[in-house]
Amino acid sequence: MILDGQTKVYGIFGYPVKHSKSPTFQTAAFLHLGINAVYVPFEVNPDDLEKAVESLKVLKIAGVNITIPHKENVINYVNELSEEIKVIKAANTIKNTDGYLIAYNTDWIGFIEGLKELETNLEGKKVLVIGAGGSSRAIIYGLLKENVDKIYLANRTLQRAEKLIREYKEYFRIVDKIITPISLQQIETFLNDVDIIVNTTSVGLNDEDFPLFDYNLLKESHIVVDIIYKETKLLKVAKEKGCKYQNGFPMLIYQGAKSFEIWTGQKAPVEIMKKSLNLE
Ligand code: ATR
């Protein structure tokens, strides 16, 4: 790679950011397509987020991804919000066009593109989503766009699931018919009724975590997604049972691919991006 006076700068704002895989696979994509650009990690303290976003204009940084813990706050500091952000209320991508900053959320499309590697037709499917935080909001937005039939939204704090449904009803009119809030204790009651199971909580990050439900109740026909970047206990059992399953890496790659396309206007080389993380 040869850097020169015209090299464009992209990056990621996070805190911490040192474990981010985005610099690796975004750089691989730029190199593959011969685009004169770099993608670097920026550790941004939450107190400095506004200044960091302003600096995009000053330094003419062409675009950034936004990760934990800035995804919600960042939308206060940009010039324009893309449609999906008005619903999801979190952003993971900013594009800088001559000092005008537009924020986007590509997590939802990342999740859907990843899931489609396991099941191409999502219309009419019944889904259990566990967790009602930021990731869940993006995932549910995607599932609603794909016309799923039913979403059981399980959360430790039931009020948070109910709040999500109330807010989404403003944008998707029949949402309270499609989404039913349930407690974690009720999950086992609904397992037989669902095609797809998605864990969006951090449960499973530590191997000693208590399971979210009795994983032995999984059936071979279940499609199981855990958005954690490793083979969790949930996924191990899914594998043993012969389920189709997936960890968080496909969602990561496809959200990044969509960000890449927003920034460059070019189709992202997804296979190259995967290869750079040894994911094929
Ligand atoms: P993210 O942006 O990754 O979605 P988040 O917005 O902090 O993160 O949401 C975390 C989700 O994981 C929430 O649904 C949270 O449940 P609560 O709303 O009850 O807090 C869930 N979660 C986190 N730790 C959990 C645990 N030990 N057991 C069950 N759910 C948990």
Side-chain angles (χ1 to χ4, degrees):
M1 186 196 309
I2 297 171
L3 303 187
D4 60 22
Q6 295 186 69
T7 302
K8 280 195 178 179
V9 180
Y10 294 87
I12 180 165
F13 288 180
Y15 190 82
V17 78
K18 61 172 178 271
H19 302 294
S20 174
K21 307 275 187 212
S22 296
T24 306
F25 71 78
Q26 295 288 4
T27 302
F30 287 136
L31 279 173
H32 179 75
L33 294 178
I35 297 173
N36 186 0
V38 291
Y39 183 108
V40 289
F42 294 107
E43 189 181 82
V44 175
N45 190 298
D47 293 338
D48 295 329
L49 182 62
E50 183 172 6
K51 277 189 272 177
V53 174
E54 274 303 304
S55 76
L56 297 175
K57 302 180 184 180
V58 179
L59 301 174
K60 300 187 171 54
I61 292 171
V64 281
N65 282 125
I66 306 293
T67 188
I68 289 168
H70 303 312
K71 288 185 178 189
E72 283 95 21
N73 288 341
V74 78
I75 64 182
N76 298 313
Y77 308 128
V78 295
N79 298 101
E80 189 178 323
L81 301 177
S82 170
E83 274 310 300
E84 72 283 357
I85 295 205
K86 293 171 190 162
V87 189
I88 301 170
K89 298 203 166 70
N92 74 327
T93 304
I94 296 177
K95 181 177 184 179
N96 179 7
T97 309
D98 301 328
Y100 189 80
L101 306 181
I102 306 182
Y104 300 83
N105 186 305
T106 69
D107 285 330
W108 72 274
I109 207 158
F111 172 77
I112 294 295
E113 295 283 312
L115 180 56
K116 283 187 173 176
E117 286 190 350
L118 301 180
E119 170 59 60
T120 48
N121 183 18
L122 300 176
E123 192 168 341
K125 291 287 188 289
K126 295 189 168 72
V127 190
L128 165 67
V129 176
I130 310 171
S135 312
S136 172
R137 290 180 73 96
I139 286 167
I140 286 175
Y141 180 86
L143 292 170
L144 291 170
K145 285 259 176 204
E146 290 291 320
N147 279 323
V148 298
D149 214 39
K150 185 78 207 169
I151 298 172
Y152 295 104
L153 178 55
N155 202 44
R156 180 176 58 183
T157 317
L158 203 58
Q159 295 93 309
R160 198 166 178 196
E162 288 163 351
K163 181 164 175 273
L164 185 157
I165 295 166
R166 251 193 335 272
E167 290 177 6
Y168 274 44
K169 194 170 160 56
E170 275 184 51
Y171 301 93
F172 298 93
R173 282 205 200 150
I174 55 162
V175 93
D176 47 354
K177 300 226 168 19
I178 298 176
I179 312 182
T180 303
I182 64 170
S183 66
L184 296 180
Q185 292 69 30
Q186 285 173 291
I187 289 177
E188 291 172 9
T189 323
F190 291 97
L191 276 182
N192 269 330
D193 193 35
V194 299
D195 308 295
I196 301 168
I197 298 166
V198 187
N199 175 37
T200 77
T201 75
S202 52
V203 175
L205 203 54
N206 305 306
D207 293 330
E208 62 276 13
D209 284 349
F210 287 110
L212 289 156
F213 59 92
D214 180 358
Y215 299 153
N216 279 312
L217 297 173
L218 290 175
K219 295 182 300 182
E220 192 181 346
S221 58
H222 282 135
I223 294 169
V224 184
V225 183
D226 198 327
I227 66 164
I228 295 172
Y229 303 137
K230 68 176 206 182
E231 193 169 293
T232 56
K233 224 183 267 175
L234 170 64
L235 293 185
K236 283 197 180 93
V237 179
K239 186 182 191 175
E240 282 163 22
K241 297 266 181 184
C243 305
K244 289 190 209 165
Y245 69 97
Q246 185 175 83
N247 65 20
F249 279 117
M251 180 175 176
L252 175 74
I253 291 285
Y254 286 109
Q255 63 78 35
K258 184 65 190 174
S259 300
F260 183 95
E261 289 170 10
I262 288 170
W263 294 325
T264 65
Q266 297 195 47
K267 192 154 173 39
V270 170
E271 292 312 313
I272 298 293
M273 292 163 119
K274 283 185 181 173
K275 207 168 166 185
S276 73
L277 299 185
N278 299 316
L279 291 178
E280 304 130 296

